[in-house]
Amino acid sequence: MSAPAELTPASPDVAVAALYPRAQVIAQAWQELGDDVAPFSNGSGRPLARTMKLILDPLVIRPVQNPGLAGGALTAAAADELRDRIRSARDELAAASAWFLELKAARKRLRITDGNPQEKYFQRCYELARRAGAPSADADAVATEVVSEIAQASGDSLLAQVRLLLRDDEKSARLEVELTEAWSRRHSRTPGTPPPSRDAIADALDACTQAGPGVAFAALVATDAGTSAASSLDDDGAARTLGLTRNTVPPVPALGETASKRDLPLPFDRSIFERLFAALSGGAAPDLAVDAQSLVEEEILRSARGWELGEEESRVALILGVEASRALDASDTGIDSLHPTAAHRQLAARWRREAYVRRALRLPVELGGVPASVVADVRDVRRGYLRRLWVRLHGRELREQTIAADDLWDLLDGVLRSVVMDQRQRLKVAMGRGALGPAGSEAA
Amino acid sequence: MSTLIRVRDGVAHISSGTGDPEGPPFLTAIVEAAGALLHWDPTAGVGSPDAHIDDLTAAAGWLSDVYGPAVAAAARDGEETAVAVDPRDPHVVDAVLRLGHLSWARAWWPAGARIPALDPALLAAEITVASHAVSHLLDDEDAVERALEDAADAAAALAELPAVLAEEGAELSAALSDLADDHGVALLPVSTRRAEWALAAGGAGSAPVGIEVASGTAPIRWADVPAQTVDAEGEARWSLRQQGGATTLRVEVPAVDGATADALRARFGPEDAAVEVTLARVADRFEGDAEVAASVSFLPAHERTLWVRDPRWASSPGAPESADDKERALQFARIRLHAPHASLAERAAGAAR
């Protein structure tokens, strides 16, 4: 299994630069590794989604450094290079797999039950493999140390520090001043550039469903399109229409010091503490040596910026989501009614498909006898979508995962998938057929 | 086997020609794959699923595995053509068909007096392992985690399997707890059992009083009631009785063994003067009584209609389901109970007879 000729070129007519589906190239190279990487593989011997996201992409393939290895389709040369990269990581991947088993055993010994071990340990396993090779005589001790360290560095322990900070009267008084100042600067802000044109937004939404250089997205970021579009949010009810606040204009957030996962307010109505809580609770700590003080200060500054987000890339992603999600609202007349973009079409297709899927799964479709809160969620899918999109973007900022053009469609589509799956889970619970577990309760 | 490919408005349809996307839901198995919905008639013994592909980029990773390179290329190029199906990885196709079948069984298994119910906990355990087998092509990246949560109480069911299936049960149990460890999902210990499934029906019910003056039966739409509650082969029966000047409507619906349902309702009579009856589990059936006006006895025959449903599933009466289609599902289920390649849940139900 070495020559690219075994694969089907995606475009047989293009003799010079035949293309190969990237996922297929990876799957084939991965299968050569066999049982050595079983803990990182699914029941068909393909890499797990988290293996891709946490190990292969960021640590082995590294598409950011090797742009030729990014995207959905590869040239013959890139396919060869990608295959070589996976093959030459064979020993490290096998050692990392063995480490995962050690870490899982240590977790059991320490009776740790929080979080998803794949999510928490995969990356660390690969680092261990690089540094120490395969587990050896001291594996038990090393695994115990690593697992306890990860448990202590959780988002929850960072949140505990934030809570302490906010309960300190003197320090929280200073933070209140920072908050007021940041927001008074915000109110005196005047829009500098005109809002982005419909064409510019439509171009980005057409391009995002395909692999490509992401020129349209970059252009929106370069012209601060997200920031300039944010000034419209101060109009009466604009942010409320989008489901981001219950207020007519976004209020100055409180500092806060408590939060409950089941009962978080809408994004712009969340306190500074609730914002941090939503992003960090139950998950890993941000991968940077950040302390509670600077975490809170950054959140204060972020809250006062356009869309209450810190990065222009996030703001642009949000305005693209605002436009694309019009496809979910039959009564809306956006770009989509006359000239739907690829993103509009595909989001609408996913949403339409849901009724068919619910019928096939013997779940209620008409919703006549379903609890009102679930019905409201289904009817108001666009607001739910934008709320969750904001939460995802905010969470990525805290983890310094800036949105690139390549991530955009995964994000816009993935948010709708997640909203739809949550609705389905809530229906099952209402029908007495399921339990609300962690997978069905993203803090949005 | 060859398959037809049509591309319309950016959506590619792959079809063997035997499946009907508009067929009744109870004859539709589905798997939600990345970029596509796979669907087929679970009773038809198909070799590969039909597909609606609305995101070819997302589907590119698995199309050849399931259909072969020629079909993948034709779908991509938007050709309207017939191409031979030649899956690159037949194991993946089998695993997809298996997952879809299990999900179908969870939703539509036609349990009743003649077909024993499937244990939902066993099904959930099998769905978890089947989801793990094809997780790389599923739309939902959290499919395994979600399935694990549904299967949290499977340990007891797996431990209680009859001796001939015990070894398989132990293997499935080990696979399940391995996946639970991988995902940090806590399974319940063997001693915990979902209560409603173990509950036996109570009470013999009260004998009807008075003189029966009219009676009739009506079919029940499967889509109008929850899975494995009402006997799939049963009909709803109504009767009007008179005693001492009072008229009573009684509705009886045969129940699946061990099933509880607290929200079944029956509606009798014309829409503008319908009588609503709440049904409760009594002995081998769901049953309810309501005192009605004497005029109900004089309704013309075509207005003596009876509609049984769980209002959460159906808020208005739908078109009758085809008796032939239902018979296909019933016939299929009867065979599955003793088929060697059937799921553990099906064979366990068959062995328990």
PDB file of all heavy atoms in Angstrom, chain A residues 10 42-44 46 104 108 350 353 360 362 366 369 417 424 430, chain B residues 32 54 65 76 107-108 132-133 136 139 181-182 222 225 313 315:
ATOM      1  N   ALA A  10      -9.375  12.112  -7.398  1.00  0.00           N
ATOM      2  CA  ALA A  10     -10.683  12.741  -7.288  1.00  0.00           C
ATOM      3  C   ALA A  10     -11.093  13.378  -8.607  1.00  0.00           C
ATOM      4  O   ALA A  10     -12.263  13.544  -8.889  1.00  0.00           O
ATOM      5  CB  ALA A  10     -10.670  13.788  -6.185  1.00  0.00           C
ATOM      6  N   ASN A  42     -10.786   3.177  15.711  1.00  0.00           N
ATOM      7  CA  ASN A  42     -12.145   2.707  15.952  1.00  0.00           C
ATOM      8  C   ASN A  42     -12.254   1.240  15.552  1.00  0.00           C
ATOM      9  O   ASN A  42     -11.253   0.586  15.238  1.00  0.00           O
ATOM     10  CB  ASN A  42     -13.162   3.594  15.218  1.00  0.00           C
ATOM     11  CG  ASN A  42     -13.206   3.344  13.719  1.00  0.00           C
ATOM     12  OD1 ASN A  42     -12.492   2.495  13.190  1.00  0.00           O
ATOM     13  ND2 ASN A  42     -14.050   4.079  13.034  1.00  0.00           N
ATOM     14  N   GLY A  43     -13.477   0.704  15.576  1.00  0.00           N
ATOM     15  CA  GLY A  43     -13.681  -0.709  15.321  1.00  0.00           C
ATOM     16  C   GLY A  43     -13.359  -1.145  13.904  1.00  0.00           C
ATOM     17  O   GLY A  43     -13.294  -2.343  13.626  1.00  0.00           O
ATOM     18  N   SER A  44     -13.155  -0.203  12.981  1.00  0.00           N
ATOM     19  CA  SER A  44     -12.740  -0.555  11.618  1.00  0.00           C
ATOM     20  C   SER A  44     -11.282  -0.224  11.392  1.00  0.00           C
ATOM     21  O   SER A  44     -10.817  -0.186  10.252  1.00  0.00           O
ATOM     22  CB  SER A  44     -13.579   0.195  10.586  1.00  0.00           C
ATOM     23  OG  SER A  44     -14.936  -0.047  10.768  1.00  0.00           O
ATOM     24  N   ARG A  46      -9.826   2.638  11.749  1.00  0.00           N
ATOM     25  CA  ARG A  46      -9.587   4.009  11.285  1.00  0.00           C
ATOM     26  C   ARG A  46      -9.231   4.869  12.494  1.00  0.00           C
ATOM     27  O   ARG A  46      -9.660   4.576  13.612  1.00  0.00           O
ATOM     28  CB  ARG A  46     -10.833   4.592  10.607  1.00  0.00           C
ATOM     29  CG  ARG A  46     -11.449   3.745   9.523  1.00  0.00           C
ATOM     30  CD  ARG A  46     -10.487   3.510   8.382  1.00  0.00           C
ATOM     31  NE  ARG A  46     -11.161   3.256   7.125  1.00  0.00           N
ATOM     32  CZ  ARG A  46     -11.666   2.081   6.759  1.00  0.00           C
ATOM     33  NH1 ARG A  46     -11.596   1.051   7.571  1.00  0.00           N
ATOM     34  NH2 ARG A  46     -12.230   1.937   5.583  1.00  0.00           N
ATOM     35  N   LYS A 104      -4.849   5.478  31.367  1.00  0.00           N
ATOM     36  CA  LYS A 104      -6.201   5.035  31.730  1.00  0.00           C
ATOM     37  C   LYS A 104      -6.159   4.201  33.020  1.00  0.00           C
ATOM     38  O   LYS A 104      -7.012   4.335  33.892  1.00  0.00           O
ATOM     39  CB  LYS A 104      -6.800   4.189  30.600  1.00  0.00           C
ATOM     40  CG  LYS A 104      -7.664   4.960  29.646  1.00  0.00           C
ATOM     41  CD  LYS A 104      -8.682   4.078  28.902  1.00  0.00           C
ATOM     42  CE  LYS A 104      -8.158   2.810  28.328  1.00  0.00           C
ATOM     43  NZ  LYS A 104      -9.175   2.038  27.585  1.00  0.00           N
ATOM     44  N   LYS A 108      -7.824   5.021  36.743  1.00  0.00           N
ATOM     45  CA  LYS A 108      -8.660   4.099  37.503  1.00  0.00           C
ATOM     46  C   LYS A 108      -8.135   3.962  38.935  1.00  0.00           C
ATOM     47  O   LYS A 108      -8.895   3.998  39.896  1.00  0.00           O
ATOM     48  CB  LYS A 108      -8.669   2.735  36.813  1.00  0.00           C
ATOM     49  CG  LYS A 108     -10.047   2.117  36.776  1.00  0.00           C
ATOM     50  CD  LYS A 108     -10.108   0.923  35.854  1.00  0.00           C
ATOM     51  CE  LYS A 108     -11.562   0.696  35.455  1.00  0.00           C
ATOM     52  NZ  LYS A 108     -11.720  -0.253  34.387  1.00  0.00           N
ATOM     53  N   ARG A 350     -29.481  20.305   6.061  1.00  0.00           N
ATOM     54  CA  ARG A 350     -29.360  19.582   7.331  1.00  0.00           C
ATOM     55  C   ARG A 350     -30.627  19.770   8.173  1.00  0.00           C
ATOM     56  O   ARG A 350     -31.143  18.831   8.770  1.00  0.00           O
ATOM     57  CB  ARG A 350     -28.134  20.077   8.112  1.00  0.00           C
ATOM     58  CG  ARG A 350     -27.935  19.353   9.430  1.00  0.00           C
ATOM     59  CD  ARG A 350     -26.798  19.927  10.234  1.00  0.00           C
ATOM     60  NE  ARG A 350     -25.484  19.466   9.805  1.00  0.00           N
ATOM     61  CZ  ARG A 350     -24.990  18.260  10.048  1.00  0.00           C
ATOM     62  NH1 ARG A 350     -25.708  17.366  10.671  1.00  0.00           N
ATOM     63  NH2 ARG A 350     -23.786  17.928   9.641  1.00  0.00           N
ATOM     64  N   ARG A 353     -33.578  17.869   6.730  1.00  0.00           N
ATOM     65  CA  ARG A 353     -33.397  16.433   6.886  1.00  0.00           C
ATOM     66  C   ARG A 353     -33.849  15.955   8.267  1.00  0.00           C
ATOM     67  O   ARG A 353     -34.249  14.821   8.452  1.00  0.00           O
ATOM     68  CB  ARG A 353     -31.910  16.125   6.691  1.00  0.00           C
ATOM     69  CG  ARG A 353     -31.593  14.676   6.527  1.00  0.00           C
ATOM     70  CD  ARG A 353     -30.179  14.506   6.028  1.00  0.00           C
ATOM     71  NE  ARG A 353     -29.196  14.786   7.062  1.00  0.00           N
ATOM     72  CZ  ARG A 353     -27.935  15.112   6.821  1.00  0.00           C
ATOM     73  NH1 ARG A 353     -27.511  15.254   5.584  1.00  0.00           N
ATOM     74  NH2 ARG A 353     -27.095  15.324   7.802  1.00  0.00           N
ATOM     75  N   ALA A 360     -38.029   8.648  11.066  1.00  0.00           N
ATOM     76  CA  ALA A 360     -37.438   7.309  10.955  1.00  0.00           C
ATOM     77  C   ALA A 360     -37.026   6.767  12.318  1.00  0.00           C
ATOM     78  O   ALA A 360     -37.020   5.566  12.532  1.00  0.00           O
ATOM     79  CB  ALA A 360     -36.249   7.340   9.999  1.00  0.00           C
ATOM     80  N   ARG A 362     -38.661   7.280  15.032  1.00  0.00           N
ATOM     81  CA  ARG A 362     -39.879   7.248  15.845  1.00  0.00           C
ATOM     82  C   ARG A 362     -39.811   8.270  16.969  1.00  0.00           C
ATOM     83  O   ARG A 362     -40.162   7.999  18.115  1.00  0.00           O
ATOM     84  CB  ARG A 362     -40.118   5.852  16.413  1.00  0.00           C
ATOM     85  CG  ARG A 362     -41.599   5.531  16.665  1.00  0.00           C
ATOM     86  CD  ARG A 362     -41.766   4.097  17.111  1.00  0.00           C
ATOM     87  NE  ARG A 362     -43.159   3.658  17.148  1.00  0.00           N
ATOM     88  CZ  ARG A 362     -43.512   2.399  17.372  1.00  0.00           C
ATOM     89  NH1 ARG A 362     -42.592   1.474  17.571  1.00  0.00           N
ATOM     90  NH2 ARG A 362     -44.777   2.044  17.394  1.00  0.00           N
ATOM     91  N   GLU A 366     -44.373  16.432  14.824  1.00  0.00           N
ATOM     92  CA  GLU A 366     -45.308  17.567  14.840  1.00  0.00           C
ATOM     93  C   GLU A 366     -45.158  18.420  16.097  1.00  0.00           C
ATOM     94  O   GLU A 366     -45.498  19.587  16.099  1.00  0.00           O
ATOM     95  CB  GLU A 366     -46.752  17.068  14.792  1.00  0.00           C
ATOM     96  CG  GLU A 366     -47.104  16.319  13.527  1.00  0.00           C
ATOM     97  CD  GLU A 366     -48.478  15.677  13.663  1.00  0.00           C
ATOM     98  OE1 GLU A 366     -49.318  16.224  14.391  1.00  0.00           O
ATOM     99  OE2 GLU A 366     -48.691  14.624  13.049  1.00  0.00           O
ATOM    100  N   GLY A 369     -47.638  17.582  21.229  1.00  0.00           N
ATOM    101  CA  GLY A 369     -47.750  17.159  22.612  1.00  0.00           C
ATOM    102  C   GLY A 369     -46.445  17.186  23.371  1.00  0.00           C
ATOM    103  O   GLY A 369     -46.296  16.557  24.407  1.00  0.00           O
ATOM    104  N   ARG A 417     -25.213  20.956  13.805  1.00  0.00           N
ATOM    105  CA  ARG A 417     -25.315  19.544  14.171  1.00  0.00           C
ATOM    106  C   ARG A 417     -25.516  19.409  15.680  1.00  0.00           C
ATOM    107  O   ARG A 417     -26.380  18.682  16.154  1.00  0.00           O
ATOM    108  CB  ARG A 417     -24.053  18.797  13.758  1.00  0.00           C
ATOM    109  CG  ARG A 417     -24.074  17.332  14.216  1.00  0.00           C
ATOM    110  CD  ARG A 417     -22.711  16.685  14.191  1.00  0.00           C
ATOM    111  NE  ARG A 417     -22.064  16.820  12.909  1.00  0.00           N
ATOM    112  CZ  ARG A 417     -20.901  17.404  12.705  1.00  0.00           C
ATOM    113  NH1 ARG A 417     -20.239  17.901  13.733  1.00  0.00           N
ATOM    114  NH2 ARG A 417     -20.388  17.511  11.514  1.00  0.00           N
ATOM    115  N   ARG A 424     -32.722  16.669  19.775  1.00  0.00           N
ATOM    116  CA  ARG A 424     -33.163  15.281  19.695  1.00  0.00           C
ATOM    117  C   ARG A 424     -33.066  14.619  21.069  1.00  0.00           C
ATOM    118  O   ARG A 424     -33.951  13.894  21.484  1.00  0.00           O
ATOM    119  CB  ARG A 424     -32.265  14.544  18.698  1.00  0.00           C
ATOM    120  CG  ARG A 424     -33.037  13.636  17.789  1.00  0.00           C
ATOM    121  CD  ARG A 424     -32.097  12.843  16.942  1.00  0.00           C
ATOM    122  NE  ARG A 424     -31.754  13.506  15.696  1.00  0.00           N
ATOM    123  CZ  ARG A 424     -30.821  13.044  14.861  1.00  0.00           C
ATOM    124  NH1 ARG A 424     -30.151  11.946  15.165  1.00  0.00           N
ATOM    125  NH2 ARG A 424     -30.557  13.676  13.742  1.00  0.00           N
ATOM    126  N   ALA A 430     -37.905  13.929  27.026  1.00  0.00           N
ATOM    127  CA  ALA A 430     -39.316  14.255  27.209  1.00  0.00           C
ATOM    128  C   ALA A 430     -40.199  13.038  26.929  1.00  0.00           C
ATOM    129  O   ALA A 430     -41.271  12.886  27.494  1.00  0.00           O
ATOM    130  CB  ALA A 430     -39.712  15.416  26.292  1.00  0.00           C
TER     131      ALA A 430
ATOM    132  N   GLU B  32     -26.773   8.265   9.793  1.00  0.00           N
ATOM    133  CA  GLU B  32     -26.396   9.627   9.456  1.00  0.00           C
ATOM    134  C   GLU B  32     -24.886   9.689   9.282  1.00  0.00           C
ATOM    135  O   GLU B  32     -24.143   9.669  10.251  1.00  0.00           O
ATOM    136  CB  GLU B  32     -26.863  10.574  10.544  1.00  0.00           C
ATOM    137  CG  GLU B  32     -28.365  10.700  10.604  1.00  0.00           C
ATOM    138  CD  GLU B  32     -28.815  11.444  11.836  1.00  0.00           C
ATOM    139  OE1 GLU B  32     -28.997  10.798  12.872  1.00  0.00           O
ATOM    140  OE2 GLU B  32     -28.938  12.673  11.765  1.00  0.00           O
ATOM    141  N   ASP B  54     -25.518  15.442   0.581  1.00  0.00           N
ATOM    142  CA  ASP B  54     -25.631  16.883   0.366  1.00  0.00           C
ATOM    143  C   ASP B  54     -24.315  17.618   0.609  1.00  0.00           C
ATOM    144  O   ASP B  54     -24.243  18.820   0.411  1.00  0.00           O
ATOM    145  CB  ASP B  54     -26.806  17.497   1.144  1.00  0.00           C
ATOM    146  CG  ASP B  54     -26.829  17.093   2.596  1.00  0.00           C
ATOM    147  OD1 ASP B  54     -25.738  16.993   3.161  1.00  0.00           O
ATOM    148  OD2 ASP B  54     -27.926  16.870   3.137  1.00  0.00           O
ATOM    149  N   ASP B  65     -15.153   3.600   0.195  1.00  0.00           N
ATOM    150  CA  ASP B  65     -15.218   2.438   1.078  1.00  0.00           C
ATOM    151  C   ASP B  65     -16.556   1.729   0.933  1.00  0.00           C
ATOM    152  O   ASP B  65     -16.639   0.515   0.939  1.00  0.00           O
ATOM    153  CB  ASP B  65     -15.058   2.867   2.547  1.00  0.00           C
ATOM    154  CG  ASP B  65     -13.610   3.179   2.895  1.00  0.00           C
ATOM    155  OD1 ASP B  65     -12.740   2.857   2.069  1.00  0.00           O
ATOM    156  OD2 ASP B  65     -13.373   3.734   3.974  1.00  0.00           O
ATOM    157  N   ARG B  76     -19.253  12.688  -7.636  1.00  0.00           N
ATOM    158  CA  ARG B  76     -18.478  13.920  -7.600  1.00  0.00           C
ATOM    159  C   ARG B  76     -18.625  14.699  -8.895  1.00  0.00           C
ATOM    160  O   ARG B  76     -18.715  15.909  -8.902  1.00  0.00           O
ATOM    161  CB  ARG B  76     -17.017  13.555  -7.361  1.00  0.00           C
ATOM    162  CG  ARG B  76     -16.229  14.562  -6.628  1.00  0.00           C
ATOM    163  CD  ARG B  76     -14.948  13.926  -6.140  1.00  0.00           C
ATOM    164  NE  ARG B  76     -14.489  12.861  -7.022  1.00  0.00           N
ATOM    165  CZ  ARG B  76     -14.102  11.670  -6.610  1.00  0.00           C
ATOM    166  NH1 ARG B  76     -14.127  11.362  -5.338  1.00  0.00           N
ATOM    167  NH2 ARG B  76     -13.684  10.762  -7.475  1.00  0.00           N
ATOM    168  N   ALA B 107     -36.295   1.527  17.320  1.00  0.00           N
ATOM    169  CA  ALA B 107     -37.456   2.376  17.084  1.00  0.00           C
ATOM    170  C   ALA B 107     -38.705   1.580  16.710  1.00  0.00           C
ATOM    171  O   ALA B 107     -39.803   1.925  17.133  1.00  0.00           O
ATOM    172  CB  ALA B 107     -37.132   3.384  15.975  1.00  0.00           C
ATOM    173  N   TRP B 108     -38.554   0.513  15.919  1.00  0.00           N
ATOM    174  CA  TRP B 108     -39.724  -0.056  15.252  1.00  0.00           C
ATOM    175  C   TRP B 108     -39.945  -1.536  15.482  1.00  0.00           C
ATOM    176  O   TRP B 108     -40.817  -2.133  14.844  1.00  0.00           O
ATOM    177  CB  TRP B 108     -39.634   0.195  13.736  1.00  0.00           C
ATOM    178  CG  TRP B 108     -39.670   1.633  13.388  1.00  0.00           C
ATOM    179  CD1 TRP B 108     -38.632   2.383  12.950  1.00  0.00           C
ATOM    180  CD2 TRP B 108     -40.808   2.514  13.452  1.00  0.00           C
ATOM    181  NE1 TRP B 108     -39.036   3.681  12.734  1.00  0.00           N
ATOM    182  CE2 TRP B 108     -40.373   3.781  13.039  1.00  0.00           C
ATOM    183  CE3 TRP B 108     -42.143   2.354  13.842  1.00  0.00           C
ATOM    184  CZ2 TRP B 108     -41.221   4.880  12.996  1.00  0.00           C
ATOM    185  CZ3 TRP B 108     -42.995   3.458  13.784  1.00  0.00           C
ATOM    186  CH2 TRP B 108     -42.528   4.698  13.366  1.00  0.00           C
ATOM    187  N   HIS B 132     -19.041   2.574  17.276  1.00  0.00           N
ATOM    188  CA  HIS B 132     -17.579   2.646  17.364  1.00  0.00           C
ATOM    189  C   HIS B 132     -16.945   2.063  16.096  1.00  0.00           C
ATOM    190  O   HIS B 132     -15.925   2.550  15.616  1.00  0.00           O
ATOM    191  CB  HIS B 132     -17.106   1.885  18.598  1.00  0.00           C
ATOM    192  CG  HIS B 132     -15.624   1.836  18.758  1.00  0.00           C
ATOM    193  ND1 HIS B 132     -14.862   2.970  18.982  1.00  0.00           N
ATOM    194  CD2 HIS B 132     -14.749   0.807  18.725  1.00  0.00           C
ATOM    195  CE1 HIS B 132     -13.591   2.632  19.084  1.00  0.00           C
ATOM    196  NE2 HIS B 132     -13.483   1.331  18.929  1.00  0.00           N
ATOM    197  N   ALA B 133     -17.580   1.030  15.537  1.00  0.00           N
ATOM    198  CA  ALA B 133     -17.012   0.387  14.347  1.00  0.00           C
ATOM    199  C   ALA B 133     -16.960   1.343  13.160  1.00  0.00           C
ATOM    200  O   ALA B 133     -16.040   1.275  12.351  1.00  0.00           O
ATOM    201  CB  ALA B 133     -17.826  -0.850  13.987  1.00  0.00           C
ATOM    202  N   HIS B 136     -15.759   6.667  12.120  1.00  0.00           N
ATOM    203  CA  HIS B 136     -15.042   7.558  11.194  1.00  0.00           C
ATOM    204  C   HIS B 136     -15.942   8.106  10.108  1.00  0.00           C
ATOM    205  O   HIS B 136     -15.606   9.108   9.489  1.00  0.00           O
ATOM    206  CB  HIS B 136     -13.854   6.830  10.565  1.00  0.00           C
ATOM    207  CG  HIS B 136     -14.251   5.695   9.672  1.00  0.00           C
ATOM    208  ND1 HIS B 136     -14.701   4.501  10.169  1.00  0.00           N
ATOM    209  CD2 HIS B 136     -14.281   5.574   8.323  1.00  0.00           C
ATOM    210  CE1 HIS B 136     -14.978   3.667   9.165  1.00  0.00           C
ATOM    211  NE2 HIS B 136     -14.733   4.307   8.033  1.00  0.00           N
ATOM    212  N   ASP B 139     -21.768  11.266  11.011  1.00  0.00           N
ATOM    213  CA  ASP B 139     -21.910  12.713  11.050  1.00  0.00           C
ATOM    214  C   ASP B 139     -21.607  13.243  12.453  1.00  0.00           C
ATOM    215  O   ASP B 139     -20.971  14.279  12.619  1.00  0.00           O
ATOM    216  CB  ASP B 139     -23.348  13.060  10.650  1.00  0.00           C
ATOM    217  CG  ASP B 139     -23.646  14.531  10.718  1.00  0.00           C
ATOM    218  OD1 ASP B 139     -22.854  15.312  10.162  1.00  0.00           O
ATOM    219  OD2 ASP B 139     -24.659  14.906  11.327  1.00  0.00           O
ATOM    220  N   ASP B 181     -14.556   3.380  29.528  1.00  0.00           N
ATOM    221  CA  ASP B 181     -13.299   3.883  30.102  1.00  0.00           C
ATOM    222  C   ASP B 181     -12.642   4.905  29.175  1.00  0.00           C
ATOM    223  O   ASP B 181     -12.127   5.924  29.617  1.00  0.00           O
ATOM    224  CB  ASP B 181     -12.311   2.728  30.320  1.00  0.00           C
ATOM    225  CG  ASP B 181     -12.664   1.918  31.557  1.00  0.00           C
ATOM    226  OD1 ASP B 181     -13.564   2.351  32.300  1.00  0.00           O
ATOM    227  OD2 ASP B 181     -12.049   0.850  31.764  1.00  0.00           O
ATOM    228  N   ASP B 182     -12.640   4.601  27.877  1.00  0.00           N
ATOM    229  CA  ASP B 182     -12.023   5.516  26.913  1.00  0.00           C
ATOM    230  C   ASP B 182     -12.679   6.889  26.942  1.00  0.00           C
ATOM    231  O   ASP B 182     -12.027   7.903  26.717  1.00  0.00           O
ATOM    232  CB  ASP B 182     -12.165   4.969  25.488  1.00  0.00           C
ATOM    233  CG  ASP B 182     -11.129   3.895  25.193  1.00  0.00           C
ATOM    234  OD1 ASP B 182     -10.208   3.725  26.013  1.00  0.00           O
ATOM    235  OD2 ASP B 182     -11.238   3.237  24.140  1.00  0.00           O
ATOM    236  N   TRP B 222     -48.614   2.567  14.060  1.00  0.00           N
ATOM    237  CA  TRP B 222     -47.379   2.383  14.820  1.00  0.00           C
ATOM    238  C   TRP B 222     -46.711   3.722  15.114  1.00  0.00           C
ATOM    239  O   TRP B 222     -46.111   3.928  16.166  1.00  0.00           O
ATOM    240  CB  TRP B 222     -46.408   1.475  14.044  1.00  0.00           C
ATOM    241  CG  TRP B 222     -46.884   0.051  13.971  1.00  0.00           C
ATOM    242  CD1 TRP B 222     -47.984  -0.475  14.562  1.00  0.00           C
ATOM    243  CD2 TRP B 222     -46.252  -1.022  13.253  1.00  0.00           C
ATOM    244  NE1 TRP B 222     -48.093  -1.812  14.265  1.00  0.00           N
ATOM    245  CE2 TRP B 222     -47.039  -2.178  13.464  1.00  0.00           C
ATOM    246  CE3 TRP B 222     -45.112  -1.134  12.458  1.00  0.00           C
ATOM    247  CZ2 TRP B 222     -46.725  -3.414  12.908  1.00  0.00           C
ATOM    248  CZ3 TRP B 222     -44.794  -2.362  11.902  1.00  0.00           C
ATOM    249  CH2 TRP B 222     -45.588  -3.502  12.126  1.00  0.00           C
ATOM    250  N   VAL B 225     -47.691   5.737  18.483  1.00  0.00           N
ATOM    251  CA  VAL B 225     -47.439   5.280  19.854  1.00  0.00           C
ATOM    252  C   VAL B 225     -45.947   4.995  20.030  1.00  0.00           C
ATOM    253  O   VAL B 225     -45.238   4.759  19.052  1.00  0.00           O
ATOM    254  CB  VAL B 225     -48.259   4.001  20.169  1.00  0.00           C
ATOM    255  CG1 VAL B 225     -49.749   4.317  20.183  1.00  0.00           C
ATOM    256  CG2 VAL B 225     -47.966   2.893  19.168  1.00  0.00           C
ATOM    257  N   TRP B 313     -46.638  11.890  20.420  1.00  0.00           N
ATOM    258  CA  TRP B 313     -46.193  11.402  19.117  1.00  0.00           C
ATOM    259  C   TRP B 313     -47.054  11.927  17.970  1.00  0.00           C
ATOM    260  O   TRP B 313     -46.584  12.087  16.867  1.00  0.00           O
ATOM    261  CB  TRP B 313     -46.196   9.859  19.103  1.00  0.00           C
ATOM    262  CG  TRP B 313     -44.868   9.298  19.422  1.00  0.00           C
ATOM    263  CD1 TRP B 313     -43.945   8.859  18.515  1.00  0.00           C
ATOM    264  CD2 TRP B 313     -44.266   9.137  20.714  1.00  0.00           C
ATOM    265  NE1 TRP B 313     -42.814   8.438  19.181  1.00  0.00           N
ATOM    266  CE2 TRP B 313     -42.983   8.594  20.526  1.00  0.00           C
ATOM    267  CE3 TRP B 313     -44.693   9.408  22.010  1.00  0.00           C
ATOM    268  CZ2 TRP B 313     -42.114   8.304  21.580  1.00  0.00           C
ATOM    269  CZ3 TRP B 313     -43.836   9.127  23.052  1.00  0.00           C
ATOM    270  CH2 TRP B 313     -42.568   8.589  22.840  1.00  0.00           C
ATOM    271  N   SER B 315     -50.405  14.611  16.992  1.00  0.00           N
ATOM    272  CA  SER B 315     -51.406  15.560  17.442  1.00  0.00           C
ATOM    273  C   SER B 315     -52.615  15.589  16.518  1.00  0.00           C
ATOM    274  O   SER B 315     -53.597  16.258  16.808  1.00  0.00           O
ATOM    275  CB  SER B 315     -50.799  16.959  17.595  1.00  0.00           C
ATOM    276  OG  SER B 315     -50.017  17.268  16.486  1.00  0.00           O
TER     277      SER B 315
END
